[in-house]
Coordinates of all heavy atoms in Angstrom, one line a residue:
F398 N 98.5 104.1 96.5 CA 98.6 105.6 96.2 C 97.4 106.1 95.3 O 97.1 105.4 94.3 CB 99.9 106.0 95.6 CG 100.1 107.5 95.4 CD1 100.6 108.3 96.3 CD2 99.6 108.1 94.1 CE1 100.7 109.6 96.2 CE2 99.7 109.5 94.1 CZ 100.2 110.2 95.0
F399 N 96.8 107.1 95.8 CA 95.8 107.9 94.9 C 96.0 109.3 95.2 O 96.1 109.7 96.3 CB 94.4 107.4 95.2 CG 93.3 107.7 94.2 CD1 93.4 107.3 92.9 CD2 92.3 108.5 94.6 CE1 92.6 107.6 91.9 CE2 91.2 108.9 93.6 CZ 91.3 108.4 92.3
Q400 N 96.0 110.2 94.2 CA 96.3 111.7 94.4 C 95.2 112.2 95.4 O 94.0 111.8 95.3 CB 96.1 112.4 93.0 CG 97.2 112.1 92.0 CD 98.5 112.6 92.3 OE1 98.7 113.5 93.2 NE2 99.5 112.2 91.5
L409 N 95.8 117.9 86.3 CA 97.0 117.4 86.2 C 97.2 116.3 85.1 O 98.0 116.4 84.2 CB 97.4 116.7 87.5 CG 98.8 116.3 87.7 CD1 99.7 117.5 88.0 CD2 99.0 115.3 88.9
Y410 N 96.1 115.4 85.0 CA 96.2 114.4 84.1 C 95.9 114.9 82.7 O 96.5 114.5 81.7 CB 95.2 113.3 84.4 CG 95.6 112.4 85.6 CD1 96.8 112.6 86.3 CD2 94.8 111.3 86.0 CE1 97.1 111.9 87.5 CE2 95.2 110.6 87.1 CZ 96.3 110.9 87.9 OH 96.7 110.1 88.9
D427 N 104.3 104.3 81.5 CA 103.9 105.0 82.7 C 104.6 104.5 83.9 O 104.3 103.5 84.5 CB 102.3 104.8 82.9 CG 101.8 105.5 84.2 OD1 102.4 106.4 84.7 OD2 100.5 105.1 84.5
L428 N 105.7 105.2 84.4 CA 106.6 104.8 85.4 C 106.2 105.4 86.6 O 105.8 106.6 86.8 CB 108.0 105.2 85.1 CG 108.6 104.6 83.7 CD1 110.1 104.9 83.6 CD2 108.4 103.2 83.6
Y429 N 106.2 104.5 87.8 CA 105.7 104.9 89.0 C 104.2 105.1 88.9 O 103.7 106.1 89.2 CB 106.3 106.2 89.6 CG 107.9 106.3 89.5 CD1 108.5 106.7 88.5 CD2 108.6 105.8 90.6 CE1 109.9 106.9 88.4 CE2 110.0 105.9 90.6 CZ 110.6 106.4 89.4 OH 112.0 106.5 89.3
C430 N 103.6 104.1 88.4 CA 102.1 104.2 87.9 C 101.1 104.1 89.0 O 100.0 104.3 88.7 CB 101.9 103.3 86.8 SG 101.8 101.6 87.3
G431 N 101.5 103.6 90.2 CA 100.4 103.5 91.4 C 99.4 102.5 90.9 O 99.7 101.4 90.2
A432 N 98.1 102.9 91.1 CA 97.0 102.1 90.6 C 96.7 102.1 89.1 O 95.6 102.0 88.6 CB 95.8 102.3 91.4
T434 N 96.7 104.9 87.3 CA 95.9 106.1 87.1 C 96.1 106.9 85.8 O 95.2 107.1 85.1 CB 96.0 107.0 88.4 OG1 97.2 106.9 88.9 CG2 94.9 106.5 89.5
I435 N 97.4 107.3 85.7 CA 97.6 108.2 84.5 C 97.6 107.4 83.2 O 96.9 107.7 82.2 CB 99.0 108.9 84.6 CG1 99.1 109.6 85.9 CG2 99.3 109.8 83.4 CD1 100.5 110.4 86.1
V449 N 104.7 100.6 85.3 CA 105.6 99.9 86.2 C 105.4 100.6 87.7 O 105.4 101.8 87.8 CB 107.1 100.1 85.8 CG1 108.0 99.4 86.8 CG2 107.3 99.7 84.4
E450 N 105.3 99.7 88.7 CA 105.1 100.1 90.0 C 105.7 99.2 91.0 O 105.6 97.9 90.7 CB 103.6 100.3 90.1 CG 103.0 100.3 91.6 CD 103.4 101.5 92.4 OE1 103.4 102.6 91.9 OE2 103.8 101.2 93.6
T451 N 106.2 99.7 92.0 CA 106.9 98.7 93.0 C 105.9 98.0 94.1 O 106.2 96.9 94.4 CB 108.1 99.5 93.7 OG1 108.7 98.6 94.5 CG2 107.5 100.7 94.5
F452 N 104.8 98.7 94.3 CA 103.9 98.2 95.3 C 103.0 97.2 94.6 O 102.2 97.5 93.8 CB 103.2 99.3 96.0 CG 102.2 99.0 97.1 CD1 102.6 98.1 98.1 CD2 101.0 99.5 97.1 CE1 101.8 97.8 99.2 CE2 100.1 99.2 98.2 CZ 100.4 98.3 99.1
A455 N 99.3 97.8 94.4 CA 98.8 98.8 93.5 C 98.9 98.3 92.0 O 98.1 98.6 91.2 CB 99.8 100.0 93.5
G476 N 107.8 96.1 90.0 CA 109.2 96.1 90.3 C 109.6 97.6 90.4 O 108.7 98.5 90.3
K477 N 110.9 97.8 90.6 CA 111.4 99.1 90.7 C 111.5 99.6 89.3 O 112.1 98.9 88.5 CB 112.8 99.1 91.4 CG 112.6 98.9 93.0 CD 113.9 99.1 93.6 CE 113.8 99.1 95.1 NZ 115.1 99.0 95.8
A478 N 111.1 100.9 89.0 CA 111.1 101.3 87.7 C 112.5 101.3 87.1 O 112.8 101.0 85.9 CB 110.7 102.8 87.6
E479 N 113.6 101.6 88.0 CA 115.0 101.6 87.4 C 115.4 100.3 87.1 O 116.3 100.1 86.1 CB 115.8 102.2 88.5 CG 115.9 101.6 90.0 CD 114.7 102.2 90.9 OE1 113.8 102.8 90.2 OE2 114.9 102.1 92.0
D498 N 106.3 109.7 87.3 CA 105.6 110.5 88.5 C 106.1 109.7 89.8 O 105.4 109.1 90.5 CB 104.1 110.2 88.3 CG 103.3 110.8 89.4 OD1 103.8 111.8 90.3 OD2 102.1 110.6 89.5
P499 N 107.4 110.1 90.1 CA 108.1 109.5 91.3 C 107.6 109.9 92.6 O 107.1 111.0 92.7 CB 109.6 109.7 91.0 CG 109.5 110.9 90.3 CD 108.4 111.0 89.5
P500 N 108.0 109.3 93.7 CA 107.8 110.0 95.0 C 108.7 111.1 95.2 O 109.4 111.4 94.4 CB 108.1 108.8 95.9 CG 108.8 107.7 95.3 CD 108.5 108.0 93.8
K502 N 111.3 111.8 96.5 CA 112.9 111.8 96.4 C 113.2 111.7 95.0 O 114.5 111.8 94.6 CB 113.4 110.5 97.1 CG 113.0 109.2 96.5 CD 113.7 108.0 97.3 CE 113.3 106.8 96.7 NZ 113.6 105.6 96.7
E505 N 115.8 107.6 90.5 CA 117.2 107.1 90.6 C 118.0 107.5 89.3 O 117.5 107.6 88.3 CB 117.3 105.6 90.5 CG 116.7 104.9 91.7 CD 117.6 105.2 93.1 OE1 118.7 105.1 92.9 OE2 116.9 105.4 94.1
C525 N 106.0 116.1 92.8 CA 105.4 116.8 94.0 C 106.7 117.4 94.7 O 106.4 118.0 95.8 CB 104.6 115.8 94.9 SG 105.6 114.4 95.4
Ligands
SAM2087 C1 103.6 110.0 93.4 S1 103.0 108.3 93.3 C2 102.3 108.4 91.7 C3 101.2 107.3 91.3 C4 100.4 107.5 90.1 N1 101.2 107.9 89.0 C5 99.2 108.4 90.4 O1 99.1 109.5 89.9 O2 98.3 108.0 91.1 C6 104.5 107.4 93.2 C7 104.3 105.9 93.1 O3 105.6 105.3 92.9 C8 105.6 104.1 93.5 N2 107.1 104.1 93.7 C9 108.1 104.4 94.6 N3 109.3 104.1 94.2 C10 109.3 103.3 93.1 C11 110.2 102.6 92.2 N4 111.5 102.7 92.5 N5 109.6 102.2 91.0 C12 108.4 102.1 90.8 N6 107.5 102.6 91.5 C13 107.9 103.3 92.7 C14 104.9 104.3 94.9 O4 104.4 103.2 95.4 C15 103.7 105.2 94.3 O5 102.7 104.4 93.9

Side-chain angles (χ1 to χ4, degrees):
F398 179 91
F399 193 59
Q400 297 284 354
L409 191 74
Y410 291 0
D427 178 10
L428 305 183
Y429 311 90
C430 69
T434 33
I435 303 181
V449 182
E450 160 66 43
T451 181
F452 181 47
K477 289 188 174 169
E479 54 275 22
D498 186 7
K502 68 177 180 163
E505 288 293 318
C525 56

